[in-house]
Amino acid sequence: MKTNMICRLLVVTTIFSSSVLLNGCSKDFFDKNPLDAISDATFWKTESDAMLALTGCYNTGGFWKGEDFWTPRSMVFLDMMAGNGSEKESIPDRMTDGTLNSAYWVVESYWKNSYQKIAACNNFLDHIDLVSMDNDLKASLVAEVRTLRAYEYFNLGLYYGGVPLVKNILSIDQANSVERASRDEVWDFAETELDESYGLLPNTRPTSESGRITAGAALAIQGRLLMAREKWSSAQEVYKKVIDAKVYEITPNYQSVFNLGNGGGKEVVLSSQYKEDVFGHVLLQYLYPETWGGWHQFSPYNELVKSFECSDGKTIEESPTYEVHNPYVNRDPRLDYTILISDRSTFKGQTYVSRPGTSSPDRFNRYNWSGYSIRKFMDESFDGNLMNYGANFPLIRYAEVLLGYLESALEAGSTLDQTLLDNTINLVRGRADVQMPAVTLTDRNVLRNIIRRERRVEFAFEGLRYYDILRWGIAGTELNWQFTGMKLTNTPNTYNDFAVDAEGYLIYQKRAFKVGVNELWPIPLSEIQINPKLTQNKGY
């Protein structure tokens, strides 16, 4: 459905603009049908109407739209917030550096864009019964939309805690006086919605419907939710259903999962969909170093770099192959697929250089950079406008399903054996262009650390790190840290050009996450000013 859906998005950007978003406006606006848009009073008649409305539920906006839980830039932002790196203007950094307040526009943007999608879903669900169409197809469409809405409520609950649980279209007065439900109430609702929906959804879809929710996507979202709630046995069961469906598989080439030509292959369970010149996105403009015409907006931290194992499967602290003076050799191949390293990484035949004292536009001291840049998502096959990229962005991959199943089994107390490891984590580590040594350890404490490290390196910059450190309860330690950048010297005791640590790495940025406060984002001030019944989270 990629082409069909994206073409429709040009028409359906705000078909249901009269649906409630949790902010105020004049009652007079709703007293008449609009002259320049489709009206609910005249719209809901045919199957074609229903399909057009469905597209509106998916629409998040292309190109510069954000921030939300769908668009590529927004997902990378989440990883920056979570301590995998920094952004040149510190936009995501401020979410977890101790300075966050309720007036910050990023907090408002994620909130409003989520409720915009929820409003479109509510409008669909409130009106779909007016349409004359096949009942089985209608039931499947309803399940699809309920899943989309549940995904939004899961994320709102994760980051804001309790939020207004709006299930239908509200009047202006209702919208401006709605109260917060508890996080448990929000997540109970999302869990029920997903549980009741996945069985009505197809396991696979034809190419013409690419990007639409499947049973596997609904189950994978539910798996995330159940893991966040530490319902380990239920999460294990849900992930097992995805595995047993035999729809998905690990793509042999890691880099191809993120490039234009492959579209993610059979590894992608859910993705946000784009098309060049029609509904593109701007991630590459943010991502590419200036050498290749980008803005070099993102700077990975060295702490992420250090988390990649050596090629023998041991950490840099344990491996005899680790070279202190040449730390980037003999490492997990995913390091080079994920991070641009000065004088080592190449792209389109040109070497990335960020050393100071050079004429490179990417020399780290030219701006507030770490010296590293993101390699993941950089596409050798693309020669177009970096603000008009058409590759899909993977929101859920089969690798997450496999690692989620293994972690849930571990935490549920299920039997851990080599067969389980070989059918989960070792499939992820063993793809053809990675071929990291198989995991063989089944001690729960040791394996827990291996799984957590594997998730960090496998899903770097895909938006999962924040979710992980919140549910593991380690955000306070991971984000109260002196972060470092590239290696500048092997003789730190006599090096004076820039501040370096004892190993010769650039002393870069420090986060000061407020434990007991910043685990939740504040309710946006603009929303509380409109609706005084919305209470604020502690510490804001």
Side-chain angles (χ1 to χ4, degrees), residues 263-495:
K266 290 186 177 181
E267 183 164 340
V268 172
V269 179
L270 178 65
S271 63
S272 49
Q273 301 276 298
Y274 297 91
K275 187 175 178 62
E276 186 178 354
D277 296 327
V278 178
F279 201 76
H281 64 82
V282 300
L283 178 61
L284 297 192
Q285 185 64 55
Y286 279 75
L287 192 79
Y288 275 34
E290 293 196 5
T291 298
W292 291 274
W295 291 340
H296 193 153
Q297 204 74 14
F298 301 116
S299 287
Y301 288 146
N302 190 50
E303 285 63 34
L304 170 62
V305 173
K306 286 184 171 183
S307 67
F308 287 82
E309 296 172 354
C310 292
S311 55
D312 61 2
K314 299 179 183 296
T315 65
I316 62 173
E317 293 82 12
E318 299 168 333
S319 175
T321 70
Y322 179 65
E323 298 185 18
V324 174
H325 297 318
N326 192 8
Y328 309 117
V329 301
N330 304 322
R331 301 292 291 278
D332 182 334
R334 288 173 293 187
L335 174 58
D336 284 321
Y337 298 151
T338 304
I339 307 288
L340 286 171
I341 300 168
S342 183
D343 300 288
R344 174 178 175 85
S345 304
T346 60
F347 181 67
K348 294 188 175 183
Q350 192 168 355
T351 301
Y352 170 71
V353 177
S354 60
R355 278 181 293 108
T358 70
S359 61
S360 170
D362 294 297
R363 58 193 182 278
F364 87 85
N365 55 321
R366 183 164 173 249
Y367 287 108
N368 183 30
W369 287 330
S370 70
Y372 299 117
S373 192
I374 297 177
R375 172 64 178 86
K376 201 177 203 175
F377 314 116
M378 289 181 67
D379 189 344
E380 294 269 1
S381 70
F382 184 67
D383 292 314
N385 185 340
L386 299 183
M387 301 182 193
N388 182 24
Y389 189 46
N392 301 335
F393 189 89
L395 297 170
I396 302 176
R397 295 194 280 119
Y398 189 51
E400 181 188 344
V401 171
L402 295 177
L403 294 178
Y405 177 67
L406 176 58
E407 182 181 350
S408 298
L410 181 152
E411 302 296 355
S414 300
T415 300
L416 304 176
D417 56 26
Q418 194 60 46
T419 299
L420 175 62
L421 296 176
D422 289 343
N423 288 331
T424 53
I425 192 170
N426 290 335
L427 288 178
V428 177
R429 294 166 64 89
R431 66 175 91 225
D433 66 346
V434 174
Q435 294 189 349
M436 284 293 289
V439 174
T440 59
L441 300 172
T442 56
D443 177 273
R444 291 184 189 275
N445 291 327
V446 174
L447 184 57
R448 180 180 294 111
N449 290 331
I450 292 172
I451 293 169
R452 292 185 177 188
R453 183 167 58 248
E454 186 70 19
R455 288 181 67 94
R456 185 175 192 182
V457 303
E458 173 70 19
F459 304 123
F461 310 121
E462 295 178 51
L464 270 181
R465 180 65 178 169
Y466 206 159
Y467 158 76
D468 279 344
I469 65 172
L470 285 175
R471 67 186 180 85
W472 291 332
I474 62 172
T477 54
E478 291 295 304
L479 295 172
N480 274 300
W481 202 265
Q482 174 61 68
F483 291 99
T484 56
M486 68 181 291
K487 191 172 184 67
L488 291 177
T489 180
N490 284 319
T491 56
N493 291 334
T494 58
Y495 181 82

Side-chain angles (χ1 to χ4, degrees), residues 143 146-147 150 187-201 215 218-223 225-226 234 237-238 241:
R146 290 173 74 186
T147 299
W187 278 358
D188 283 346
F189 173 73
E191 190 175 327
T192 298
E193 292 286 281
L194 294 165
D195 194 51
E196 293 179 357
S197 295
Y198 80 85
L200 299 172
L201 294 163
L219 287 167
I221 295 168
Q222 189 173 25
L225 173 55
L226 292 168
S234 296
E237 180 182 344
V238 162
K241 290 176 182 177

Side-chain angles (χ1 to χ4, degrees), residues 223-269:
R224 279 191 191 178
L225 173 55
L226 292 168
M227 289 176 72
R229 307 190 83 179
E230 298 185 346
K231 294 184 175 182
W232 299 113
S233 295
S234 296
Q236 182 182 358
E237 180 182 344
V238 162
Y239 281 130
K240 186 67 161 54
K241 290 176 182 177
V242 183
I243 295 169
D244 289 346
K246 301 187 183 303
V247 171
Y248 308 101
E249 60 188 35
I250 296 297
T251 299
N253 185 295
Y254 184 70
Q255 284 182 290
S256 73
V257 175
F258 312 102
N259 290 345
L260 185 63
N262 187 47
K266 290 186 177 181
E267 183 164 340
V268 172
V269 179

Side-chain angles (χ1 to χ4, degrees), residues 201-221:
L201 294 163
N203 285 326
T204 61
R205 291 189 182 274
T207 303
S208 62
E209 296 179 2
S210 176
R212 288 176 56 184
I213 294 286
T214 59
L219 287 167
I221 295 168

